[in-house]
Amino acid sequence: MSRVDKEAVVICLDVGKNASEMSEKSGKTFLQRSLDCVKKIITRKIFAKPYDEIGIILFGTDDTKNDLNDKNFGYDNIVEMDTLKMPSWTMLEEVCKIKPGNALVGWSDGLLVAMNYMSTETEAKKFSHLRIILFSNFMTSTNDQDLDVITSNISNLEIELIGVSDTVCHETDAPSWQFSQNPQKKDSQRESEQIFQKMIKEIEGANLCHIDYVESELVYFQKKTNRGNPWNVPLKIGNELSMNVSAYVYVQKSSLVSFKTECTEFNTVTKMVTEYTKNNEKIEKPTEDDIVKAFHYGSKLNACDDSGIAYDSGDKCLLTLAFCKRKRCASNLFAGTGCHIIVPQKDCPKSAKLFSALVRNLLQKDYFLLARKVYRKGTKPLVVGLFPQKKDDGLCLVMIEMPFEDNIQRCRFEKLRLKKSTKPSDEQMEAMEKLVNAMDLTNAIDDESGITEAFTVETSLNPFQQHICRTISRRALNPNAPLPTFDNELKKMIDVPEKIANEAADIIKEIENLFPLEIIHRKEKKVFGQKEVDDIDDNLEDEEILDVTQAESNERLIVAVGTVTPAEDFLYLINKKTERFGVVCDQIQSVIHELLFKSTVDHGDKIKEALVAYRDVAKIHGPFNYNTWIKELKKLMVRRNKIDEWYKYIVTEGVGLITINESPVSTVTMEENLEFYEIISKETSNVTSNINPEDDELENLL
């Protein structure tokens, strides 16, 4: 957001004696509800628009601190909390300390001070929008002597005025909110409301709303916004046909809140430090040719493409490659993180005619365009699909990224273990059709909002991002308090709409009766890595038994020792004898090394089981490789200061050297094994100083 594209907001808050009256249909006072709204406004600004500036005016206070009173204009019991500045956690803490006052001050005096404050504070600054939000229940009497002054100043300064109260209603025939005609209201309150109602009718853009509506709008920290900046490009078909189009973001992946390095609150700067490590050891900065970007998948680092490299792709373009049948493009081939809407460029009538004819023909013949997209010169070229669509406001193309051959991952799934009589009955088919119709999201909301579709793209927010904002806000104000749980308000964002739940309840019961489920218990013999055909349910027929046996066989298809169940994988490969003993030993060594030194999670049980399994097998097949490896493992653990792990995994489990008592091929005595378990401080220093990390024999073996 540009620094000039920011707004100034002045909150004018009634904290007087009358504001402590209980709000209608609420267990809180009007002041408490107003303060909750102010806190949410400041919090939303911190996350969504941190460069906007906020000022707070309190009227009805016991103290007096404002510019007009200093000039002897007599505006008592009104306080300007601070200068107009960007929102911060300090400002939010100050709002939490606001206490009710005992004075009675009319809203007109508070509004005059707020206008003077707005005029003074914005004089040397640039803002795209000015706004005053007045929180008052209008119970304090006021007069209309200053009505003309307020009206003219707000109009001249182009200030948007919003009045918030708990005594307004919205009638069906009325174009906007109006004060309710409650017979219990006092005459002074009615008169004050009439004066404010008269004023907002004379001010263009002024509005009045109920505090319930404000609370509902402030539930989430950020409204759903659609990016309005178009990507203008000519859509070319062949060498002669071209039309100017604009692409707008329709759906895109939501990003989490990011904070700048500058901390405006304490006038300090956060310094970013970059360190380079190799195998958890710090190294000097390598050359650019030696650096490869990667991402963590569990404990493994996987190299990825560098998106920052320059491509010789030419100028930006949207070039049609082919016309394709729509049925030839399955939805599982869609790629990217969102989609765009393409429409004719504004003020181009010739392009609009060509575009309309193109989309109509694509819809009629059920085709789509396959095109080459280059966002700008030097960026990676993409293959996109342009799918015709007819919307309420006209014709358009939906642009979705398509994958290259290398990006397609073909997954093979086993057949479902079903009996031959799998064709559903007519009753079952009819019940499923009823369920699909009942769960139609396009007609899932039935209220007075006028919206019928649930989870629309235009209004749906990311609940995870909203929860992150609430968590950060809670921790900033209460550093020692526990983190909040997932709020019920956020759960409503993803809950099944009430209308669908009610309509589908009876149908779901019917489906439960039509599709009975029963648990089939199978006995398994304790044979590692395989199942006998006799263990399978006798009710299955011969063809089904073959499918089940094949599926179970594929489930235990192990080709190498993995980090999930290393001991089981190692023993399975040793028993199957599909790989040489030395190859399987190298694999278990690599896995133990990875679990010990690269993983950020404690894998104690896996490491113990893998060491025991490796040692037991080595005693039979040959102890030399194991003894050599365990010695190098000890050196590496000492060097990396993993002494506790050494005693925990090696000494306690007794998985040290294999002695001559355990294997006749071994040459290690019992005394040598006992010395091997000990770690002396002198040994530690010698290992650290004499061994070069580049000469690490264990890592060379791996």
Side-chain angles (χ1 to χ4, degrees):
M1 181 183 69
S2 174
R3 295 294 181 92
V4 180
D5 186 20
K6 61 180 182 179
E7 70 174 10
V9 180
V10 176
I11 299 173
C12 193
L13 181 62
D14 185 0
V15 298
K17 187 176 181 180
N18 289 331
S20 299
E21 297 286 338
M22 296 300 295
S23 182
E24 292 184 359
K25 301 178 182 179
S26 176
K28 297 181 179 180
T29 64
F30 179 76
L31 177 59
Q32 290 174 335
R33 299 183 68 184
S34 300
L35 286 174
D36 290 341
C37 292
V38 174
K39 295 174 189 176
K40 292 179 180 179
I41 291 173
I42 297 174
T43 308
R44 175 186 277 196
K45 290 291 185 184
I46 291 175
F47 289 110
K49 293 186 175 182
Y51 296 115
D52 289 355
E53 297 191 13
I54 298 178
I56 301 176
I57 308 296
L58 307 178
F59 62 95
T61 58
D62 297 332
D63 302 328
T64 301
K65 180 186 174 184
N66 63 82
D67 187 54
L68 289 180
N69 185 76
D70 295 341
K71 297 177 181 178
N72 297 323
F73 287 114
Y75 288 87
D76 298 327
N77 303 109
I78 302 176
V79 172
E80 297 174 357
M81 283 189 61
D82 206 339
T83 59
L84 194 70
K85 60 182 182 180
M86 289 185 287
S88 63
W89 300 117
T90 302
M91 180 185 292
L92 197 58
E93 290 175 352
E94 293 298 325
V95 172
C96 295
K97 298 177 183 178
I98 294 177
K99 296 181 180 180
N102 297 315
L104 297 176
V105 179
W107 59 264
S108 59
D109 290 346
L111 197 55
L112 280 169
V113 173
M115 286 190 304
N116 178 74
Y117 176 87
M118 175 75 81
S119 177
T120 304
E121 293 290 330
T122 60
E123 187 175 1
K125 300 178 181 179
K126 290 184 179 181
F127 294 96
S128 61
H129 194 71
L130 304 179
R131 180 179 298 168
I132 294 179
I133 304 176
L134 173 66
F135 286 90
S136 177
N137 56 6
F138 299 95
M139 294 184 66
T140 305
S141 61
T142 188
N143 55 67
D144 57 355
Q145 295 178 358
D146 300 324
L147 186 61
D148 296 335
V149 177
I150 296 174
T151 303
S152 60
N153 286 338
I154 289 179
S155 300
N156 294 335
L157 294 174
E158 297 181 353
I159 299 174
E160 180 187 359
L161 175 63
I162 300 176
V164 181
S165 179
D166 61 343
T167 60
V168 297
C169 62
H170 183 71
E171 299 178 359
T172 306
D173 299 333
S176 61
W177 296 91
Q178 294 182 355
F179 287 103
S180 61
Q181 303 300 319
N182 191 336
Q184 297 180 355
K185 288 183 179 180
K186 297 180 181 180
D187 294 338
S188 58
Q189 184 178 6
R190 292 179 182 275
E191 182 181 358
S192 179
E193 292 175 348
Q194 290 175 2
I195 295 173
F196 188 82
Q197 187 83 46
K198 179 182 178 182
M199 183 186 67
I200 62 174
K201 288 182 179 179
E202 297 177 3
I203 300 174
E204 183 179 358
N207 204 349
L208 174 69
C209 59
H210 199 285
I211 194 170
D212 290 345
Y213 175 77
V214 177
E215 290 174 337
S216 63
E217 287 292 303
L218 294 173
V219 165
Y220 309 113
F221 288 98
Q222 188 175 9
K223 285 187 175 181
K224 185 74 174 182
T225 56
N226 294 322
R227 181 173 296 177
N229 297 328
W231 179 61
N232 297 322
V233 65
L235 172 60
K236 295 183 179 181
I237 304 176
N239 296 326
E240 298 182 358
L241 186 59
S242 176
M243 61 194 77
N244 296 327
V245 296
S246 299
Y248 295 87
V249 173
Y250 187 56
V251 178
Q252 69 178 4
K253 185 178 180 180
S254 178
S255 58
L256 292 177
V257 179
S258 62
F259 293 96
K260 304 298 182 183
T261 57
E262 182 181 356
C263 180
T264 58
E265 196 170 320
F266 304 102
N267 296 322
T268 59
V269 176
T270 303
K271 295 182 180 180
M272 305 295 291
V273 179
T274 302
E275 294 181 349
Y276 297 90
T277 61
K278 182 179 180 181
N279 296 331
N280 295 330
E281 295 182 355
K282 291 185 179 180
I283 61 174
E284 295 182 359
K285 181 179 179 181
T287 61
E288 293 185 0
D289 296 337
D290 296 333
I291 299 177
V292 178
K293 287 191 174 182
F295 62 91
H296 263 292
Y297 185 78
S299 61
K300 291 185 178 181
L301 280 173
N302 299 276
C304 60
D305 292 335
D306 188 355
S307 59
I309 62 176
Y311 292 88
D312 187 14
S313 55
D315 297 330
K316 74 172 183 178
C317 69
L318 192 61
L319 178 63
T320 301
L321 300 176
F323 289 82
C324 304
K325 274 285 188 182
R326 178 65 180 86
K327 63 182 180 180
R328 297 184 62 182
C329 180
S331 58
N332 64 311
L333 295 179
F334 295 161
T337 58
C339 66
H340 293 69
I341 292 291
I342 295 181
V343 295
Q345 195 170 326
K346 293 182 179 179
D347 301 327
C348 294
K350 183 178 179 181
S351 296
K353 292 181 180 180
L354 292 173
F355 184 85
S356 177
L358 172 65
V359 177
R360 291 183 186 278
N361 278 275
L362 291 174
L363 286 171
Q364 182 179 359
K365 298 182 179 297
D366 197 20
Y367 272 74
F368 75 97
L369 297 179
L370 198 64
R372 179 178 185 266
K373 173 192 173 184
V374 177
Y375 182 72
R376 64 171 177 267
K377 187 176 182 179
T379 58
K380 183 180 179 180
L382 301 174
V383 176
V384 296
L386 306 180
F387 299 88
Q389 188 172 0
K390 186 176 182 181
K391 299 179 71 68
D392 295 337
D393 52 354
L395 300 173
C396 66
L397 292 172
V398 179
M399 181 170 63
I400 303 176
E401 183 180 339
M402 308 296 289
F404 291 94
E405 178 66 23
D406 297 340
N407 303 127
I408 300 176
Q409 300 292 333
R410 291 180 172 85
C411 302
R412 180 184 176 187
F413 299 96
E414 296 298 331
K415 294 181 180 180
L416 294 175
R417 293 177 287 180
L418 301 174
K419 295 183 179 181
K420 288 185 176 181
S421 58
T422 57
K423 185 177 180 180
S425 63
D426 294 339
E427 294 180 353
Q428 291 175 329
M429 290 291 292
E430 185 178 354
M432 293 305 299
E433 288 183 5
K434 290 180 182 179
L435 181 62
V436 172
N437 295 332
M439 299 181 70
D440 184 9
L441 293 177
T442 59
N443 190 25
I445 300 178
D446 188 10
D447 54 22
E448 299 178 355
S449 62
I451 302 174
T452 59
E453 184 177 354
F455 310 117
T456 57
V457 175
E458 293 82 2
T459 59
S460 298
L461 295 170
N462 186 347
F464 174 69
Q465 183 173 356
Q466 300 295 323
H467 177 64
I468 290 293
C469 294
R470 290 169 186 244
T471 304
I472 295 174
S473 177
R474 174 73 172 272
R475 178 50 57 89
L477 296 177
N478 305 284
N480 299 322
L483 295 178
T485 57
F486 205 73
D487 293 351
N488 292 327
E489 296 169 342
L490 299 180
K491 291 180 181 178
K492 292 179 181 178
M493 297 174 60
I494 54 178
D495 279 347
V496 178
E498 185 178 356
K499 182 180 179 181
I500 286 184
N502 295 334
E503 293 183 357
D506 296 336
I507 303 175
I508 291 175
K509 292 181 180 179
E510 182 181 352
I511 290 177
E512 289 178 353
N513 297 329
L514 293 174
F515 294 88
L517 302 177
E518 62 178 294
I519 301 176
I520 299 176
H521 298 281
R522 293 186 176 90
K523 297 181 180 179
E524 297 183 3
K525 291 184 178 180
K526 294 184 178 180
V527 179
F528 183 81
Q530 63 183 9
K531 292 183 180 179
E532 299 293 340
V533 177
D534 297 336
D535 295 335
I536 302 174
D537 192 353
D538 296 332
N539 295 328
L540 298 178
E541 299 182 16
D542 295 338
E543 294 180 4
E544 296 173 303
I545 291 176
L546 293 176
D547 290 340
V548 173
T549 308
Q550 181 66 26
E552 295 294 344
S553 176
N554 291 336
E555 287 178 3
R556 294 302 306 166
L557 184 59
I558 299 174
V559 296
V561 179
T563 56
V564 180
T565 56
E568 294 182 9
D569 297 347
F570 176 74
L571 294 175
Y572 175 78
L573 293 173
I574 292 296
N575 293 332
K576 292 290 288 184
K577 298 180 180 179
T578 56
E579 291 285 354
R580 290 185 294 108
F581 175 70
V583 175
V584 183
C585 289
D586 291 342
Q587 294 175 1
I588 191 72
Q589 291 172 9
S590 300
V591 170
I592 295 173
H593 181 274
E594 184 174 344
L595 296 177
L596 265 174
F597 302 110
K598 296 183 179 180
S599 177
T600 58
V601 183
D602 184 14
H603 295 288
D605 294 337
K606 289 184 182 180
I607 296 172
K608 293 176 184 178
E609 294 173 0
L611 286 168
V612 171
Y614 183 21
R615 192 174 188 275
D616 291 343
V617 173
K619 287 189 295 185
I620 301 173
H621 291 77
F624 177 76
N625 288 337
Y626 176 83
N627 288 342
T628 304
W629 172 78
I630 200 70
K631 290 178 183 178
E632 298 300 331
L633 181 66
K634 177 183 178 180
K635 294 179 182 179
L636 191 60
M637 293 181 72
V638 171
R639 184 193 313 147
R640 298 193 179 180
N641 198 24
K642 288 186 174 290
I643 310 301
D644 295 338
E645 287 82 354
W646 169 260
Y647 286 107
K648 179 180 178 182
Y649 300 140
I650 309 297
V651 179
T652 305
E653 297 298 323
V655 290
L657 299 172
I658 300 175
T659 63
I660 56 177
N661 296 336
E662 297 173 296
S663 174
V665 186
S666 176
T667 59
V668 179
T669 63
M670 290 293 295
E671 291 77 10
E672 292 176 343
N673 190 32
L674 293 175
E675 292 180 3
F676 175 75
Y677 284 130
E678 297 179 358
I679 294 180
I680 307 173
S681 58
K682 182 178 179 181
E683 177 188 356
T684 304
S685 61
N686 290 337
V687 171
T688 306
S689 59
N690 295 333
I691 296 180
N692 191 329
E694 296 179 357
D695 298 332
D696 189 348
E697 298 179 10
L698 176 63
E699 293 187 357
N700 291 337
L701 288 173
L702 299 178

